[in-house]
């Protein structure tokens, strides 16, 4: 993770701030996620400036059948690069560089991203597109370690059946009916829609979402911007784990939501100037409402509906 200056940074185990429940999808689906940071930790999930850089590893076992090469722009890249004995899909773009491959039936993705990457102000200025060569020894070590690992070292559970898109839509309705969502937002109507491209995962996270049982609730709202939030039915532990991993929820503070019980957890940055986020547990399930204009109102409506 040494940058263009040649000065070796201090590297610590750390995750980049991410309020989205999907940040833990690979782990929730029985996979393995590892991450290290160089530089000063970002203040929140919108901090794009600074001297930080992250080296991420996502490993999703039993995923060879759904693997797709690294996504860049609107389509998977056809570029490949050899890392030791593994020929991987590998490219650089927004917001960094990534290499991925299937190793022992696991989808393995390694990526490097840094503050200021798109504005040529990252610690990797002067390295540029050769960043993949720069970090190749570390990627090679990751691929070799995965290849040598026993299955139980790469995760905790086999994949489970994936819910159909209609099931996800129905699940969203059961937590917050579209009619109630519309009235909460002061709109004439709202309709939950299946997420586009949900059947074609571009990352281990995409593939892990249905295996983990996460619901992506996307709604089209009359005369307003679309609304989205995420539910982990009967997986409140995902939120409590996310909250306890301090760097994941940097920028959020403990919150008391209307109707919440004493043992339920919530963190929030509401009210925000334009949007805000709520990450909370309720009735054994976990929820994240990220950067929405009415996140606090939606959270309150979900809890009121249940109580």
């Amino acid at each position: 993770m040494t940058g263009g200056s040649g000065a070796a940074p201090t590297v610590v185990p750390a995750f980049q701030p991410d309020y989205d429940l999907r940040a833990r999808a690979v782990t929730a689906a029985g996979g393995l996620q590892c991450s290290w940071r160089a530089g000063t930790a970002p203040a929140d999930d919108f901090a794009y400036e600074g001297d930080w850089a992250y080296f991420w590893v996502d490993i999703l076992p039993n995923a060879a059948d759904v693997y797709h090469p690294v996504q860049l722009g609107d389509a998977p890249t056809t570029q490949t690069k050899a890392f030791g004995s593994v020929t991987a899909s590998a490219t650089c773009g927004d917001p960094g560089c990534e290499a991925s491959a299937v190793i022992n039936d696991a989808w393995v993705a390694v990526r490097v991203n840094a503050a200021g990457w798109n504005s040529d102000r990252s610690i990797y200025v002067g390295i540029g597109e050769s960043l993949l060569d720069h970090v190749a020894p570390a990627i090679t070590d990751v691929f070799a370690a995965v290849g040598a690992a026993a299955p139980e070292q790469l995760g905790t559970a086999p994949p489970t059946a994936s819910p159909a898109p209609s099931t996800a839509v129905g699940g969203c309705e059961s937590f917050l009916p579209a009619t109630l969502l519309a009235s909460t937002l002061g709109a004439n109507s709202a309709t939950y829609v299946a997420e586009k491209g949900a059947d074609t995962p571009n990352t281990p996270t995409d593939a892990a979402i249905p295996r983990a049982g996460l619901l992506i609730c996307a709604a089209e709202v009359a005369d307003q911007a679309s609304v989205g939030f995420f539910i982990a039915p009967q997986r409140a532990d995902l939120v409590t784990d996310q909250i306890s991993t301090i760097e994941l929820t940097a920028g959020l503070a403990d919150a008391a939501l209307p109707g919440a019980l004493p043992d339920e957890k919530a963190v929030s940055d509401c009210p925000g100037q334009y949007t805000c986020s709520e990450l909370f547990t309720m009735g054994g399930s976990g929820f994240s409402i990220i950067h929405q204009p009415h996140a606090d109102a939606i959270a309150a409506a979900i809890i009121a509906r249940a109580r």
Side-chain angles (χ1 to χ4, degrees):
M1 299 183 74
T2 299
S5 69
T10 298
V11 177
V12 297
F15 286 95
Q16 188 170 349
D18 194 336
Y19 308 158
D20 193 329
L21 266 177
R22 292 179 292 186
R24 309 305 287 161
V26 170
T27 299
L32 185 64
Q33 295 175 285
C34 304
S35 177
W36 296 264
R37 186 192 75 243
T40 305
D44 55 46
D45 70 334
F46 263 5
Y48 297 127
E49 299 296 328
D51 64 350
W52 54 262
Y54 285 89
F55 183 90
W56 297 69
V57 179
D58 283 345
I59 303 170
L60 185 64
N62 308 105
D65 59 329
V66 293
Y67 170 77
H68 281 79
V70 174
Q71 184 83 3
L72 183 64
D74 296 326
T77 182
T78 58
Q79 298 178 41
T80 61
K81 182 176 177 62
F83 298 93
S85 62
V86 176
T87 298
S89 171
T91 192
C92 294
D94 182 7
C97 297
E98 181 173 339
S100 73
V102 172
I103 303 174
N104 289 344
D105 208 39
W107 185 340
V108 184
V110 183
R111 59 191 182 276
V112 180
N113 67 314
W117 173 264
N118 291 330
S119 55
D120 292 328
R121 292 199 299 270
S122 80
I123 66 169
Y124 296 118
V125 168
I127 293 175
E129 292 296 321
S130 63
L131 180 56
L132 276 173
D133 293 326
H134 185 68
V135 299
I139 296 175
T140 300
D141 287 347
V142 169
F143 287 161
V146 174
E152 60 269 17
Q153 294 177 290
L154 301 179
T156 59
T160 58
S162 301
S166 59
T167 303
V169 170
C172 299
E173 278 278 354
S174 68
F175 282 96
L176 184 63
T179 53
L180 182 54
L181 174 62
S183 63
T184 298
L185 299 176
N188 291 327
S189 65
T191 305
Y192 288 113
V193 295
E195 186 188 36
K196 296 178 180 179
D199 57 344
T200 307
N202 293 317
T203 66
T205 293
D206 292 342
I209 286 169
R211 294 185 181 187
L214 302 184
L215 300 177
I216 301 175
C217 298
E220 295 178 350
V221 182
D223 301 319
Q224 294 188 26
S226 59
V227 170
F229 54 94
F230 310 98
I231 305 174
Q234 299 306 308
R235 291 299 306 271
D237 60 297
L238 297 184
V239 169
T240 55
D241 288 349
Q242 195 161 345
I243 292 173
S244 65
T245 307
I246 302 299
E247 65 269 25
L248 275 172
T249 51
L252 301 182
D254 290 341
L257 297 180
L261 300 180
D263 62 341
E264 294 174 342
K265 306 292 185 182
V267 291
S268 170
D269 62 358
C270 293
Q273 184 176 3
Y274 301 109
T275 67
C276 63
S277 300
E278 300 274 5
L279 185 62
F280 63 101
T281 65
M282 189 276 298
S285 296
F287 303 81
S288 65
I289 308 170
I290 308 304
H291 299 302
Q292 297 290 323
H294 306 287
D296 47 356
I298 295 171
I302 290 171
I303 295 173
R305 155 79 174 175
R307 301 274 145 83

